[in-house]
Each structure stands twice: as C-alpha cells, then as structure tokens.
Amino acid sequence: MKDNIRYSVIVNLIRTLVLTILSFISFPYVCKALRANAMGTYTWANTFVYYFLIIARSGIPNVAIRECAKVRENKNELSKKVQEFFIIQGLLTIVSFILMCVIIFSVKELADWKELIFILSINFVIGAFSFEWVFIALEKHYFISFRSIITLALSAILIMSLVKKPEDIYLYAVFAILTTILTVIINCFALKKYVTFKYVGKYDFKQYFKPIIIIFIISLILTLYNSTDTFILGFLDPDKALVASYSVGIKSIEIIITLITSLDAVFIPRATKYYKMENKYFFHNLTRYGFNICLFIAIPAVVTMAALSRQITVIISNGTEGYVDADLILIILVSMSLTFSLADMIYEQVLLPMKKEKYYLFTLLMGTILNIGGSISLGLLFKDNPAIGVAIATMLADVVVLGNLIFLAKDYAIKALFNKNSLKLVIAGLLVAISSFVLVKFLPIRNNIVQMVVVVLVGAVIYLGSLVLMKENLVMSFINRTEKK
C-alpha cells in the first residue's frame, strides 16, 4: 500500500514541479511583455471566466472521481457512470455559457473586453470533453503527468516565442488555453481503452443530484473565496495595475499550493476506497501521511518565501516597474501556502470520502463572507494601496477557515496534525527561517537569482539535516527504503 501511494505521490510531485518551473519561466516573461495594465486586465478577465468554469463543472469532477473509483474494476459500471457524468456536465456547460453571454452584454465594462473573455471561455466549453476525472479515478498518474508536461511545455514555448507587447494579450489568451485543447484531444483518444460509450443500461441521475448540488455550491463559494479578492481589487483599482501587483505577489504562493493540492488526485481515490471498506486503520494512516507531506513542503516554503519576498517578486515581474508593493503582498499572504493547503486536505482527504461535504460548505461560506467584507473594508481603508488591505483580509479569512475545519474534522485531523512528528517539522522550519533571514541580510551578493539559490540550498541542508537528527518519519522512511535497496 505504502509503495503504491509513494510512487503516485512522487509522480504527481514531479509533474507539478516541472509544470511549476515552466510557469515560473514563462510568467516573468509575460509580465514584462504585457506590462502591468494588460497583465492586470488579463487576470481580471480570467477571474470572471473562472466563475462560469465552476458553474460548468458544478462539482462534478470530485463526485465523479469518488463514484468512478468505487466501480473502476467493472468496465460496464464504470462506462455507465462516465456517460452519466458526461451528460450532466455537457448540459451544465451549455447553461453556463449562455449565462456568461447574458452577463457580458449587460455590463459595459465586461462588454468592452468581450473578445478576450470569449477566447478564455473556450477553456471551460471544451473542458467538458476532457474526462480528466476518469483518469484520476483510475489512478493513471503517469499518463496524466506525461501529457500535462508535454502540453504545457508547448504552450510555454509558443508564449515566449510570439508574445512580445501589450497588444499581444489576445494571442497570450489563445496560447494559455492551448493546454486544455490538447488535453481534450489526447484524453478522448486514450479514454476508449477504459470505457465504452455504447448504451450499457438505464441511467440513474437522481443519485447524483444531492452530492453534485452540495459540491457545486462548494465549488462556487470556493471560487468566490479564492478570486473575490482579485475581483474586488479590480473595481477598487480602475487601471488594474494593482491587480497585476497582487497577481505577482501571490504567484509563488499559488505554486506551493498547487504543488501540495496536486496530491488530491492520489489521495481521493484511495481514501474513498478505505472508507468504503471501513478500514479505519488505513484511513487514519493515509490522513496522517497526507498531512505529513503537506507540512514537510509548506513549512520551509513559507519561511523561505517570506525571507526572499523582494527577490521573488522582482524575478517574477522580470524587474519591470509598476508592480507596487508586490513583495509586501507576498509576505502578508505567504501563510496561505500552509493554511489553504491544510484546509484543502481536510476537505478532499477526510470530509469528501466520508460524504460530509456540507461541513466544508458552511465553513467556506463563512470564510467567503469574511473575505468579501474584509476585502472591501480594508481595501477602502488602505486608500494609497488597496491591495495591502485586500491581502490582509484574505489571509485572516484563511486562518479562520482552517481553524473551523480542524474542529469539525477533529476525530481525524487533530491526531494527524498535532503530534511529535509535526513538532519536528516546525522546529526544523524555525531553523530555516533564522538562516534564511540572516543570509538575506548579510549575504554580499546582489544578484537576485544567485541570492535565492544560495539561501534555498543552505536552508535545504539545514532543514533536511535537522530532520535526520530528529528522526522525522518521512525522511527516515526514505532513508530506510534506500538502505534496503
């Protein structure tokens, strides 16, 4: 069991790391090419489109992964479920697109950018045909990883080759959605190996209505929760330049969150299987293992990014002027690498397999209300730079959400999170924090990239060395496995 999960975790982490590197290479280039105003407009338009992507999906992927994982050994049953979910998602995609069109032509500021919005909307219109949730349920992590790397690499190459100036914003939008288009084509060809689209029995849509509605509301609120800060800032900042600063500040945080939450694809099918089998021992172990990985990655990432905030934002923006206080925004939001990732794990790995999605729904609703109210209030309070106020509100809302989820899932979350092994990770993280801030202050190197490399390498040695000395579980498991080979 551990070997299989370990392999899946490693494959997913490699995939996410490669995609992160590609994104980290292309994003600074785009910031410099498009400049702050065009980049801010793209981010704002993409945020608007994302709301309708959520409506089109309506929480279907999460429910589909859970349900398909239960019957993945039976091709007929699996095919039936795939057909059912595809029909539901197809209908919802049509409804979502029509609703988006109505809103676009009803709001002048949106209508002014309708061409850009329609290009970006292709992402969710054809996304109904991607069937990514089937491959996740079947745990085809190598296939997903290889395909993702190839498609995103092609997209990045085209962006860096052809996007040269702010007027190329539409070209950038086309290349940004290219990954989804290629994913749909490849997945459709691969899908026929695992399922058939021939009629295999009477459809039963009714059984999915309740979980889909709950998870749809969760997805919608989660989208509001994740993107309301950017959207509100867009209205508080008419020229959208501060939106660009905010996006630069949060970019590296999103990288860590993406890295950790990518493991959901590994844990959801397995957690569903163990909970269905009523195997509490394996379910507890899986939960603890997931939290262990989350803390192992997030703790050193938080302190290192805080210490290197100026260097990171300068590199991401490619040294381009106009990204005001992006480093301060990063420092304020950096804790979300940990808090958001842990909250996501509690939902995906504990509450979702237990069919207790409603707990997450109520918590997220509370967090969204706090985030919206706080973003508007603090955004107006910080008149010189509303982005600072919005960042503070977002960070505080995230802490409240995590605290409530830990309480609601206390039977599993508290033991998995608060233990001696977690304390070892915190101690190692504090040592990394001390070394990182000292090096940033006294290191006689002015080159940002070289400074980052030195600080990260020294921090990694201190972190891993201290964990070996303290005999941390994850590190010792790797060492013991290596010695056996």
Side-chain angles (χ1 to χ4, degrees), residues 4 8 12 15 60-74 77-79 81-82 85 130-144 147 187 191 194-195 262-274 352:
N4 195 6
S8 298
N12 269 272
R15 172 179 68 88
I60 290 172
N62 282 343
V63 179
I65 291 169
R66 185 177 69 191
E67 296 302 317
C68 289
K70 294 177 182 178
V71 297
R72 63 184 184 179
E73 306 298 333
N74 187 320
E77 286 295 319
L78 177 62
S79 298
K81 288 189 178 293
V82 170
F85 285 117
S130 74
F131 297 100
E132 188 78 343
W133 36 271
V134 179
F135 298 98
I136 294 174
L138 296 174
E139 298 189 68
K140 301 299 178 183
H141 301 296
Y142 180 81
F143 166 78
I144 294 171
R147 185 215 62 222
N187 281 5
L191 188 65
Y194 306 106
V195 301
S262 69
L263 299 178
D264 290 342
V266 176
F267 291 116
I268 292 176
R270 194 59 62 95
T272 300
K273 177 183 176 182
Y274 292 153
L352 190 62

Side-chain angles (χ1 to χ4, degrees), residues 141-434:
H141 301 296
Y142 180 81
F143 166 78
I144 294 171
S145 300
F146 183 75
R147 185 215 62 222
S148 299
I149 292 170
I150 295 299
T151 54
L152 190 61
L154 178 60
S155 176
I157 291 170
L158 290 171
I159 288 171
M160 296 179 69
S161 301
L162 300 175
V163 177
K164 303 293 184 182
K165 53 188 182 299
E167 291 75 18
D168 291 335
I169 186 173
Y170 297 100
L171 194 59
Y172 175 55
V174 171
F175 293 147
I177 66 170
L178 180 63
T179 302
T180 301
I181 296 172
L182 294 175
T183 295
V184 168
I185 295 171
I186 295 170
N187 281 5
C188 285
F189 276 105
L191 188 65
K192 60 184 180 181
K193 180 179 177 182
Y194 306 106
V195 301
T196 177
F197 277 91
K198 295 179 180 178
Y199 182 72
V200 291
K202 185 179 179 181
Y203 297 136
D204 182 13
F205 297 111
K206 188 177 180 180
Q207 62 176 314
Y208 307 126
F209 286 164
K210 184 178 178 180
I212 284 179
I213 290 172
I214 292 175
I215 296 182
F216 162 66
I217 297 173
I218 287 174
S219 301
L220 189 58
I221 295 175
L222 184 59
T223 303
L224 287 168
Y225 180 73
N226 288 338
S227 56
T228 295
D229 50 357
T230 303
F231 205 61
I232 290 173
L233 186 57
F235 283 103
L236 295 174
D237 174 36
D239 66 3
K240 307 296 185 292
L242 288 177
V243 178
S245 297
Y246 196 86
S247 67
V248 168
I250 205 169
K251 184 66 178 178
S252 56
I253 297 168
E254 290 177 341
I255 289 171
I256 301 302
I257 290 174
T258 301
L259 181 66
I260 296 172
T261 57
S262 69
L263 299 178
D264 290 342
V266 176
F267 291 116
I268 292 176
R270 194 59 62 95
T272 300
K273 177 183 176 182
Y274 292 153
Y275 194 77
K276 182 186 177 184
M277 294 168 57
E278 297 184 356
N279 194 325
K280 290 187 177 181
Y281 175 77
F282 280 135
F283 190 76
H284 270 289
N285 280 355
L286 189 68
T287 303
R288 181 171 296 206
Y289 184 59
F291 280 35
N292 194 174
I293 294 174
C294 178
L295 295 175
F296 181 84
I297 297 172
I299 289 175
V302 167
V303 297
T304 304
M305 285 192 294
L308 293 168
S309 59
R310 183 188 63 79
Q311 291 84 350
I312 291 172
T313 52
V314 168
I315 291 172
I316 290 177
S317 63
N318 212 357
T320 308
E321 294 182 0
Y323 295 93
V324 182
D325 289 332
D327 56 337
L328 182 55
I329 292 169
L330 171 56
I331 291 174
I332 295 170
L333 294 174
V334 72
S335 64
M336 289 179 62
S337 298
L338 178 61
T339 56
F340 186 92
S341 299
L342 283 173
D344 179 79
M345 278 206 152
I346 292 173
Y347 167 52
E348 301 279 6
Q349 193 175 330
V350 180
L351 298 179
L352 190 62
M354 296 171 66
K355 296 186 177 182
K356 292 185 177 180
E357 306 91 88
K358 62 182 180 181
Y359 291 167
Y360 188 62
L361 170 61
F362 297 137
T363 299
L364 208 55
L365 182 60
M366 174 188 67
T368 302
I369 293 171
L370 288 173
N371 198 5
I372 292 173
S375 293
I376 294 173
S377 301
L378 294 180
L380 292 172
L381 182 64
F382 287 79
K383 294 180 180 179
D384 294 336
N385 190 344
I388 301 299
V390 171
I392 293 172
T394 302
M395 178 269 294
L396 292 175
D398 214 54
V399 172
V400 172
V401 166
L402 175 61
N404 197 55
L405 284 175
I406 291 173
F407 174 75
L408 292 173
K410 58 182 179 294
D411 290 344
Y412 295 97
I414 290 179
K415 289 182 179 179
L417 190 57
F418 301 105
N419 51 64
K420 289 183 180 179
N421 197 68
S422 297
L423 181 60
K424 294 174 184 178
L425 292 168
V426 172
I427 293 171
L430 290 174
L431 294 176
V432 173
I434 294 169

Side-chain angles (χ1 to χ4, degrees), residues 421-453:
N421 197 68
S422 297
L423 181 60
K424 294 174 184 178
L425 292 168
V426 172
I427 293 171
L430 290 174
L431 294 176
V432 173
I434 294 169
S435 68
S436 297
F437 280 99
V438 169
L439 283 173
V440 168
K441 186 173 180 61
F442 297 106
L443 198 65
I445 300 174
R446 293 191 175 183
N447 184 285
N448 290 318
I449 295 178
V450 175
Q451 196 173 42
M452 277 186 62
V453 170

Side-chain angles (χ1 to χ4, degrees), residues 60 83-93 205 208 212:
I60 290 172
Q83 292 173 30
E84 289 170 339
F85 285 117
F86 174 65
I87 292 170
I88 296 171
Q89 189 165 22
L91 292 172
L92 288 170
T93 299
F205 297 111
Y208 307 126
I212 284 179

